[in-house]
């Protein structure tokens, strides 16, 4: 009789998980440590009853089996979504938004019937990667600007550039330096003006100290 009750409790827990999936609270990427913090799950009468009669580890097993099945289904759809994303050459995941992304995926015939939550998962995955890449680019850009400023200041200090040097004059002197080349050509002149001002201020401060 005990085994029958435990089986019924597992089925009730699976039913609860299916309901939470429909509400978007459980998906193929859900983790137990986050699920444990979900009051809607842990305070549900079916979960409370399960935990009263069985150990938490068994509830975790039911949860992980459920998520594993979702993961298999998502993995299958993900291949189709990858093809749809490759085909959508004009789509910018950083600016399209979730709705625009879903519309672009559905325009691909194979992806037309894929569940919305799978499209959302794939979108969030791509968005995170794109945002991480943007952050890396921004860090590289700031590092390059710092090196560029250092180059201008160093060349002025060594007399290779005059304090009133024009951009064209600086170009002739610095154009082979990696710190110069690492700055996009369309941004160089404006940055040079700022670097020159900063270098003059630093030099003036140094003279005052002396």
């Amino acid at each position: 009789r005990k085994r029958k009750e435990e089986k019924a409790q597992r089925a009730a827990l699976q039913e609860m998980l299916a309901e939470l999936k429909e509400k978007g609270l459980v998906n193929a990427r859900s983790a137990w440590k986050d699920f444990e913090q979900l009051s809607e799950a842990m305070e549900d009468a079916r979960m409370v009853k399960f935990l009263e009669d069985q150990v938490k580890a068994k509830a975790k097993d039911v949860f992980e089996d459920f998520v594993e099945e979702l993961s298999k289904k998502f993995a299958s759809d993900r291949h189709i979504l990858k093809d749809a994303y490759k085909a959508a050459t004009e789509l910018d995941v950083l600016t399209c938004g979730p709705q625009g992304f879903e519309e672009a995926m559905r325009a691909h015939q194979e992806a037309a019937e894929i569940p919305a939550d799978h499209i959302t998962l794939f979108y969030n995955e791509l968005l995170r990667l794109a945002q991480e890449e943007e952050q890396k680019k921004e860090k590289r850009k700031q590092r390059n600007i710092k090196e560029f400023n250092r180059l201008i200041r160093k060349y002025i200090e060594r007399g290779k550039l005059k304090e009133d040097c024009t951009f064209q004059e600086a170009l002739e002197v610095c154009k082979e330096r990696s710190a110069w080349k690492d700055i996009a050509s369309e941004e160089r002149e404006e940055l040079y003006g700022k670097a020159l001002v900063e270098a003059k201020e630093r030099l003036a401060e140094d003279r005052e100290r002396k």
Side-chain angles (χ1 to χ4, degrees), residues 98-150:
Q99 191 177 338
F101 185 82
E102 183 172 348
E103 286 168 6
M105 294 301 97
R106 298 237 180 262
H108 191 74
Q109 194 176 351
E110 321 291 315
E113 300 303 318
I114 284 179
D117 61 324
H118 285 187
I119 294 176
T120 301
L121 274 177
F122 187 57
Y123 167 71
N124 289 337
E125 192 181 297
L126 291 176
L127 182 63
R128 191 187 73 252
L129 290 171
Q131 286 171 337
E132 284 172 3
E133 189 53 40
E134 282 298 298
Q135 286 169 0
K136 284 179 190 171
K137 278 184 191 172
E138 185 56 30
K139 279 183 181 174
R140 275 197 301 270
K141 184 179 176 181
Q142 293 307 318
R143 189 169 63 242
N144 289 343
I145 289 172
K146 195 175 177 181
E147 287 302 309
F148 182 83
N149 290 347
R150 202 168 74 85

Side-chain angles (χ1 to χ4, degrees), residues 3 42 49 63-64 66 97 160 162-163 201 209:
R3 286 186 71 182
M42 303 315 281
K49 177 65 178 164
F63 167 82
E64 289 183 343
F66 184 82
K160 289 187 176 183
K162 293 177 182 175
E163 286 184 40
E201 286 171 356
R209 286 195 199 100

Side-chain angles (χ1 to χ4, degrees), residues 16-31 34-42 63 66-67 70 117:
M16 181 200 78
L17 288 164
E19 289 168 13
L20 292 173
K21 178 192 177 294
E22 289 307 308
K23 291 178 182 177
L25 297 173
V26 172
N27 60 52
R29 293 286 186 260
S30 293
D34 300 319
F35 183 74
E36 275 189 296
Q37 309 304 316
L38 191 64
S39 59
E40 196 160 341
M42 303 315 281
F63 167 82
F66 184 82
V67 170
L70 294 183
D117 61 324

